[in-house]
Amino acid sequence: MSALWPNVSLGELIRLERRQVEVIADQQYQEIGIYCFGRGIFHKMPRSGLEVGDKNLYELRAGDLILQVTFAWEGAIALCSIKEDGLYGSTRHPTFRVDEERCFPPFLLRYLCTRDGLEQINKICPGSAGRNRVLSIKRIPEVTVPLPPLEEQRRIVARVESLVAKIDEARGLRQQAVQDEERLLVCMAHREDLPPNEKFRSGWVEATVGSICRFTDESESVDGSRSYPNLGIFSYGRGVFPKPSIEGVATSAKTLRRVRAGQFIYSRLFAFEGAYAMVPPELDGHYVSGEYPTFTCDPTKACAEFLWAHFRSPNVWQKVAAGSKGLGSRRQRVQPDRVLEYKLWVPPMEWQRKIQSVQAKVDALKKLQAETTAELAALLPSILDKAFKGEL
C-alpha cells in the first residue's frame, strides 16, 4: 500500500442497516446468494411466502455492501447493484451502507477481496473451516482500509475494472464456444427440423428408453473402514462433478451404488430441472446413493452421449417429470420406471457416432476452459495487489 494513504477502520466506513420484512404466504420472494472469491451475486428462483416459512428475510437496496457471515473469510463479499434492488437476503446476508463521502463503495469491495483484505477478514471469522467460521460483526472495526482520496479511489477502480473486463471477455469467449457446441448436441439429438415420416425414412426409430438401455444397480454394502469417492450431478444438463468422499464410518447409508464410465445417470430429486448426465472416464468407479439411478446402453442401439444430449432439453425434463408424484423441488422425485417408459426418436448408430464426436469436442473445450479460467483467476489477486500498492 502507498505509505501516503492513511489506514482507516472499516467500522468508520460502513454501518449496519437491515430491513426485515413481514413474510406473507401468498406473495413471492426472490432471494440472492453470494459466490465466494469475490465473484458476485446470483439470484435464486422466486418462492412464495408459504415456501419461505418462518425464515427471516431482509430487503436489499442498490449500494448495499454484503459480508456473507459464513463465507466472508472465503471472499463471499459483494455490492448490490440495481438488479438486486428489492430482492431479499437471509440472516446470513447482513447489509451495510458505505460512507460515500469518504469511500467509493466499489473501491472498498475490491480492497476487501485482496489478499491483505481477506487476511484481515479471516481474523474476525473465528472457528474451524466451513460453516463454523462465522463473521463477528462486532469485530469489523479491527479491519483497516488504506484510504486514498476519492479521486484516486475511482481511478484505481476504473483501472482494475478495465483489466477485469478483459479477463471476463477471455473467459466468456471460452464459455460461449462450449455453449454453442452443447446447443448443437441437443439439435443433433432431436432433429426437430425433420418431421416423423422423414426421421423414419432416415433410419430413426421411435422407442422407449427401456428398449435401448437397462437399469443398472451395482450396489455394495457400506464398509465402515472404507472411504468412497462420490459424485454429484449439476442441474440443467451440465454434467457431473466430484464430491467429497463418503466415509463409511460416518454415513447412515447401508448401501452405495458404484457407477461406471459411459453410464447414463440422473438425480431422482432434481430430474425436473435437468439433472441428467453421462459418467465420464475420470469418475469411473465413483459411488452414489440410491437417489441416482444409472443405466447402461445397449451398444448396438444407443450410446450414452446421445441419451444425455436428448435429455439436455428442458422440454424433455418437463415431460418426464410430469408423470411423477409431488409438486416441485424436493417432493418431485422421478422414479427409474418413469425414465424407462419415456418415448423418444433414436437415430441410426452412424448419426450417434457423430454426436459422440461432438461430445468429445465439448469435453476438450471444457477442459481448456477450466485451464483458462484457472489461469485468469490467478491474475486477479495480482492485479488487485498491484492496484492497492499504487503500481497500476
Side-chain angles (χ1 to χ4, degrees):
M1 311 302 157
S2 172
L4 301 177
W5 299 348
N7 283 316
V8 179
S9 168
L10 182 58
E12 295 181 25
L13 300 176
I14 63 175
R15 71 176 189 280
L16 184 66
E17 185 176 300
R18 310 217 69 182
R19 312 170 197 95
Q20 187 170 356
V21 297
E22 178 186 0
V23 178
I24 300 172
D26 60 354
Q27 289 191 11
Q28 293 288 306
Y29 298 87
Q30 186 170 18
E31 296 178 61
I32 59 97
I34 300 181
Y35 293 114
C36 291
F37 311 112
R39 293 184 295 124
I41 295 174
F42 62 91
H43 298 179
K44 299 181 181 180
M45 293 294 292
R47 296 190 297 165
S48 69
L50 185 63
E51 291 175 301
V52 172
D54 58 1
K55 177 180 178 181
N56 291 330
L57 292 181
Y58 301 83
E59 186 178 3
L60 307 178
R61 291 182 185 167
D64 282 347
L65 177 73
I66 301 178
L67 302 173
Q68 209 269 14
V69 294
T70 49
F71 289 105
W73 62 274
E74 200 173 27
I77 305 169
L79 196 63
C80 291
S81 70
I82 193 66
K83 294 179 181 179
E84 285 75 53
D85 197 87
L87 300 189
Y88 302 90
S90 70
T91 54
R92 295 179 183 275
H93 301 89
T95 49
F96 301 84
R97 299 302 296 183
V98 179
D99 181 355
E100 296 190 35
E101 291 186 359
R102 301 182 66 188
C103 185
F104 185 42
F107 173 88
L108 182 58
L109 172 66
R110 291 296 186 187
Y111 173 72
L112 292 176
C113 291
T114 63
R115 292 188 183 97
D116 184 63
L118 287 178
E119 283 177 6
Q120 294 192 72
I121 293 292
N122 265 263
K123 292 177 182 178
I124 64 169
C125 296
S128 58
R131 294 186 179 274
N132 292 327
R133 297 196 63 178
V134 178
L135 174 75
S136 173
I137 293 178
K138 292 181 179 180
R139 295 181 61 184
I140 281 178
E142 296 177 24
V143 177
T144 60
V145 179
L147 203 66
L150 278 170
E151 183 179 350
E152 178 65 9
Q153 292 178 39
R154 291 191 175 92
R155 187 199 71 79
I156 289 172
V157 169
R159 180 59 176 149
V160 168
E161 291 186 351
S162 173
L163 294 171
V164 169
K166 293 178 181 179
I167 291 174
D168 289 341
E169 182 182 5
R171 185 185 292 122
L173 290 172
R174 293 288 189 198
Q175 180 63 28
Q176 186 62 51
V178 171
Q179 291 175 349
D180 289 346
E181 293 295 327
E182 288 182 330
R183 280 193 288 269
L184 174 60
L185 280 169
V186 175
C187 292
M188 291 179 70
H190 287 267
R191 285 303 304 270
E192 293 179 350
D193 58 311
L194 291 179
N197 60 330
E198 286 296 326
K199 284 184 176 179
F200 181 77
R201 280 197 288 269
S202 300
W204 291 57
V205 178
E206 192 172 20
T208 63
V209 170
S211 67
I212 61 174
C213 66
R214 59 183 173 81
F215 174 63
T216 307
D217 187 2
E218 194 177 334
S219 293
E220 299 178 12
S221 296
V222 173
D223 181 345
S225 65
R226 284 189 57 188
S227 180
Y228 296 85
N230 190 20
L231 67 79
I233 306 177
F234 288 118
S235 293
Y236 312 111
R238 293 183 295 128
V240 300
F241 61 95
K243 296 173 68 175
S245 294
I246 299 171
E247 301 301 326
V249 70
T251 182
S252 60
K254 294 183 179 179
T255 62
L256 290 172
R257 178 177 296 145
R258 192 173 189 179
V259 300
R260 302 293 183 178
Q263 286 182 329
F264 178 65
I265 186 170
Y266 79 98
S267 165
R268 293 197 303 171
L269 197 58
F270 292 106
F272 77 98
E273 62 178 20
Y276 296 93
M278 182 187 74
V279 179
E282 62 269 23
L283 295 183
D284 180 73
H286 277 54
Y287 289 82
V288 293
S289 72
E291 288 294 321
Y292 297 86
T294 54
F295 304 87
T296 301
C297 292
D298 180 340
T300 66
K301 297 179 180 178
C303 63
E305 289 88 349
F306 156 69
L307 208 52
W308 182 22
H310 182 91
F311 275 81
R312 288 187 197 182
S313 167
N315 291 333
V316 174
W317 313 339
Q318 294 166 11
K319 289 177 184 177
V320 178
S324 64
K325 296 180 180 180
L327 297 172
S329 195
R330 296 183 181 276
R331 297 186 296 276
Q332 194 173 7
R333 281 178 164 79
V334 173
Q335 302 301 332
D337 287 349
R338 177 64 186 162
V339 174
L340 290 169
E341 293 167 358
Y342 173 77
K343 289 185 177 180
L344 73 168
W345 280 94
V346 181
M349 288 304 300
E350 181 181 358
W351 187 254
Q352 292 189 49
R353 281 189 284 273
K354 291 181 180 179
I355 291 176
Q356 284 181 311
S357 177
V358 175
Q359 181 61 60
K361 183 178 179 181
V362 169
D363 292 341
L365 283 171
K366 283 185 175 180
K367 182 179 179 181
L368 184 59
Q369 180 194 9
E371 293 171 352
T372 301
T373 298
E375 291 170 358
L376 293 175
L379 288 175
L380 186 55
S382 176
I383 289 171
L384 291 174
D385 285 346
K386 287 185 178 181
F388 287 93
K389 288 177 181 177
E391 297 176 2
L392 282 182

